[in-house]
Amino acid sequence: AARRSAVRAWCLYDWANSAFATSVIAAILPPFFAAVAGRELPKHLATATWGYASSAALLVAAVIGPVLGAAADHLGRKKPLLLACVAAGAAATALLGLAPWGGWHALLVLFAIAFVAFAAGNVLYDALLPAVAAPGEMDRVSSRGFAYGYVGGGLLLAVNLAWILKPRAFGLADADAATRLSFVSVALWWLLFSIPLFRRVPEPRSVAGPRPLAGMPGAVARRLARTLAGLRRQPELFRFLIAFWLYSDGIGTIIKMATIYGAEIGIGRTDLIGALLLVQILAAPASLAFGRLAGRFGARPAILAGLAGYLGITLFAFFLTHPWHFWVLAALVAMFQGGTQALSRSLFATLVPRARVGELFGFYSVSEKLAGVVGPLLFGLVAQASGAGRLGVLTLLPFFLGGGWLLATVDLERGARRAQES
């Protein structure tokens, strides 16, 4: 009963923080920033400024991830550090609603703080997976967490969009007031649904026991250096990280570029928003289905099936022309997105030595963050050279093919044995 309660509490954190990913990162803050910054900057410069700020926040999060993970392993205190991330992220998100109309600089700073806290918190959250799930349950539990996230994030996003599109129906003055209230609602949602994790998920037992803060910077630096050197002695783990980086880059590019590509070919705003909500609705049961698929055939075959699905999605996107095509594309993405990511997380957990789970999930996070850089850049370069985004879509194929091939060559049994021996 205690383990089931811990699993539910762990999954609820995905429900809690996914609201930030959907409402703030994906749907509401970018156009709000463009409107605020557009009062002082040309439209194209406002868009570019947002892109630069997002890339900078992504880079900072990538650097912080391994350091924070190593610090958590050194101190034997993952939950207190996660609590600090939640508090900082939720506070910065709530303050987004108070930024003055001319305060686009403040919006950027607050978004950067919230995003880095969100990303750093995910490193610690992922590192708690082995503490709540037995080895044979990690695929199912990880998939369940993603399903919770899609439902929770989609539910609050639907409420927020209703406020913004029909503010007077909810007693709000206008869309600006509704947008600001949405930021506050995300902060409260994040805080409220994080509470069960801190109450019910046990702090993982440190192999060496908790250590004092004194001398931590040097100890963390030594841990990271040993981990980087140790990757050469764990070729399966290293090969998996490269495979994950490749196919995650393809997935991340689809997530980031889908709406822009859709708008370019003439898909209307209503269809774009509706398709985004459709992904949130369908991805939850699809993630659970992937967990059951992994239980029957194994995590790797299920991931490879997901990557095959993404190859089909890429080819379908190349021929996309009508709004209903975009809805079909969204449904296909929903089928494979959460399950592929969830099983990648649980499969990685089986290859990680328990003494270094935090820092290695930090490197996993780095792979995930860097996956948001190369794919969109290559997509953009090809789209610019060809004069249209359609050929840019085809740049995704090598990421899925290369990542799938590398994943198929990982010796998972030997990797799991080495993790247990380390």
Side-chain angles (χ1 to χ4, degrees), residues 4-389:
R4 287 197 299 271
S5 178
V7 167
R8 285 194 296 270
W10 183 84
C11 292
L12 266 177
Y13 183 77
D14 217 322
W15 172 292
N17 79 341
S18 289
F20 179 82
T22 54
S23 287
V24 176
I25 297 176
I28 298 175
L29 183 56
F32 181 71
F33 173 81
V36 173
R39 295 194 167 195
E40 297 182 18
L41 301 173
K43 184 177 179 181
H44 72 281
L45 188 54
T47 301
T49 301
W50 174 257
Y52 298 148
S54 299
S55 296
L58 202 67
L59 181 61
V60 171
V63 172
I64 285 179
V67 175
L68 186 65
D73 286 341
H74 172 76
L75 296 172
R77 295 288 183 268
K78 293 181 176 63
K79 287 172 60 179
L81 290 174
L82 176 56
L83 178 59
C85 291
V86 172
T93 302
L95 289 173
L96 287 170
L98 302 177
W101 255 110
W104 61 271
H105 295 89
L107 284 177
L108 287 183
V109 171
L110 290 170
F111 166 72
I113 293 171
F115 180 84
V116 170
F118 166 79
N122 278 342
V123 172
L124 301 166
Y125 167 66
D126 290 345
L128 289 171
L129 175 59
V132 299
E137 298 176 333
M138 282 198 281
D139 292 334
R140 180 180 59 82
V141 173
S142 183
S143 298
R144 186 175 170 186
F146 265 86
Y148 273 49
Y150 281 117
V151 174
L155 181 61
L156 188 60
L157 176 60
V159 172
N160 292 157
L161 290 177
W163 290 350
I164 293 168
L165 295 175
K166 300 287 184 180
R168 295 192 182 278
F170 298 93
L172 299 170
D174 51 28
D176 174 62
T179 298
R180 294 174 183 274
L181 179 61
S182 296
F183 296 143
V184 176
S185 73
V186 169
L188 294 175
W189 186 279
W190 192 353
L191 282 172
L192 178 65
F193 289 107
S194 296
I195 293 173
L197 181 146
F198 297 109
R199 293 185 60 191
R200 299 173 189 168
V201 173
E203 179 71 52
R205 186 172 58 185
S206 175
V207 175
R211 298 179 177 90
L213 285 170
M216 186 182 73
V220 167
R222 289 190 294 272
R223 287 184 72 100
L224 289 173
R226 285 197 302 268
T227 297
L228 284 170
L231 285 176
R232 291 179 298 180
R233 298 188 296 272
Q234 292 180 283
E236 294 80 15
L237 182 62
F238 183 69
R239 184 179 288 263
F240 176 86
L241 280 172
I242 299 300
F244 174 74
W245 174 77
L246 281 171
Y247 67 74
S248 187
D249 208 324
I251 295 173
T253 302
I254 287 177
I255 294 170
K256 290 177 175 63
M257 304 303 293
T259 54
I260 295 175
Y261 175 61
E264 178 189 311
I265 61 176
I267 308 300
R269 182 168 177 256
T270 301
D271 288 303
L272 294 176
I273 292 175
L276 179 62
L277 284 172
L278 179 67
V279 171
Q280 297 298 122
I281 294 169
L282 296 183
S287 296
L288 294 175
F290 258 82
R292 289 192 291 271
L293 188 67
R296 183 170 182 180
F297 299 105
R300 177 163 56 187
I303 294 172
L304 292 174
L307 297 182
Y310 269 109
L311 288 173
I313 287 170
T314 303
L315 294 173
F316 181 79
F318 178 76
F319 295 102
L320 191 150
T321 53
H322 302 294
W324 71 268
H325 290 168
F326 196 82
W327 285 86
V328 172
L329 183 72
L332 291 172
V333 168
M335 287 178 59
F336 302 109
Q337 180 176 296
T340 304
Q341 293 173 315
L343 295 179
S344 297
R345 176 172 62 184
S346 56
L347 185 58
F348 180 73
T350 65
L351 302 174
V352 174
R354 292 296 172 263
R356 301 202 308 277
V357 64
E359 61 198 82
L360 282 168
F361 263 108
F363 284 104
Y364 179 86
S365 175
V366 168
S367 295
E368 201 168 25
K369 301 300 178 295
L370 292 179
V373 177
V374 179
L377 177 62
L378 187 58
F379 188 108
L381 289 172
V382 173
Q384 183 177 357
S386 64

